[in-house]
Amino acid sequence: MPVELYLFACYSHTVSVNIDTRVVGPGDNRYVGEAWQLKELIRQEEGVLKQRRGFFTDAYRRSTVYCYVTEDDEGEQLVGFAAARRDGYILFLAVAPDFRGEGFGQRLVAKVADNHASVTCHARTTNENALDFYRHLGFAVERRIDNYYEDGGDAYYLRLGEEESIAKRLSDFMRT
C-alpha cells in the first residue's frame, strides 16, 4: 500500500516521494543488508542499536519484518523497518534519520500491534529518544534489567498498554 510523502526542499518547492509497505516473512532475506546498513548508520550517528552482525541477521531471518521502502531510478531505499517475533516482541525498530518525524515509527509499531495481542520490546535505559517514543505510544516500563546488553548496558522491558489501548492506538495511528 503506497503512502505519499511530501518533502520540502531548500528551494521552497515540494518533492513527492512514494513510500511502499512491504512485509518480509520469517526465513526471507529481503532487505536484510539494507536493514543492517540502516541500523549501522543509526549506531554510528547516535550510539544506539549495537548488535553483532550475525546476531542481527539471524534474528531478522526469524522475524516478520514490516518495511517502508522508496523506489526511484537508482533502486529501492529502506526508509524504516520493525522486526517482530511471533509473540509480538519487537527485536529491531529503525527509521532513517531523514524520514523521522513523519509517523513511520508509529505506523511500524501499529503494524506489529495489528498482528499481535500484545507488543513488547527492550530499550536501553540511557536511550531517552527511544524511551520518549515508546512512552508516547503508550508503552509502560515493566521492569529494569541490569547488564542486559553485551556491552553491559542496562535495559527496560516495555509493554504496550491494555488490549483496548492497542486497538485504539492502532486506529489512531492508521488515521494519520
Side-chain angles (χ1 to χ4, degrees):
M1 170 165 61
V3 174
E4 195 159 318
L5 173 69
Y6 294 97
L7 300 176
F8 295 94
C10 296
Y11 304 107
S12 298
H13 67 277
T14 303
V15 178
S16 177
V17 176
N18 286 324
I19 308 285
D20 290 324
T21 303
R22 309 277 166 77
V23 179
V24 179
D28 192 335
N29 288 331
R30 275 182 302 154
Y31 305 113
V32 69
E34 293 87 344
W36 173 259
Q37 289 174 351
L38 175 55
K39 184 208 73 66
E40 282 295 285
L41 171 72
I42 293 168
R43 181 191 61 77
Q44 290 167 1
E45 289 184 3
E46 301 172 24
V48 296
L49 300 180
K50 300 174 187 175
Q51 289 98 20
R52 289 175 289 116
R53 187 169 189 148
F55 171 81
F56 177 87
T57 302
D58 290 344
Y60 182 99
R61 288 178 181 150
R62 289 191 312 266
S63 304
T64 298
V65 184
Y66 304 90
C67 302
Y68 283 118
V69 178
T70 64
E71 190 168 356
D72 59 21
D73 295 338
E74 297 177 20
E76 294 182 328
Q77 175 191 354
L78 186 65
V79 169
F81 70 97
R85 294 187 320 209
R86 281 183 273 168
D87 62 356
Y89 177 83
I90 298 174
L91 290 159
F92 310 111
L93 175 66
V95 175
D98 290 346
F99 291 89
R100 291 186 182 164
E102 302 295 329
F104 290 109
Q106 291 179 347
R107 289 186 195 105
L108 287 165
V109 172
K111 288 188 177 299
V112 174
D114 191 32
N115 292 298
H116 298 89
S118 72
V119 179
T120 58
C121 66
H122 284 92
R124 279 186 186 269
T125 58
T126 57
N127 188 346
E128 287 301 320
N129 288 338
L131 293 169
D132 289 345
F133 169 78
Y134 287 121
R135 285 183 191 119
H136 172 74
L137 296 182
F139 280 79
V141 173
E142 291 218 332
R143 66 183 169 274
R144 180 187 175 110
I145 304 166
D146 294 334
N147 299 312
Y148 177 78
Y149 295 102
E150 276 187 3
D151 63 2
D154 301 334
Y156 289 124
Y157 180 73
L158 306 165
R159 178 178 300 280
L160 186 57
E162 301 295 319
E163 298 276 338
E164 305 81 44
S165 177
I166 292 172
K168 180 184 180 312
R169 289 185 182 283
L170 175 62
S171 175
D172 291 345
F173 294 149
M174 298 316 268
R175 281 189 297 213
T176 59

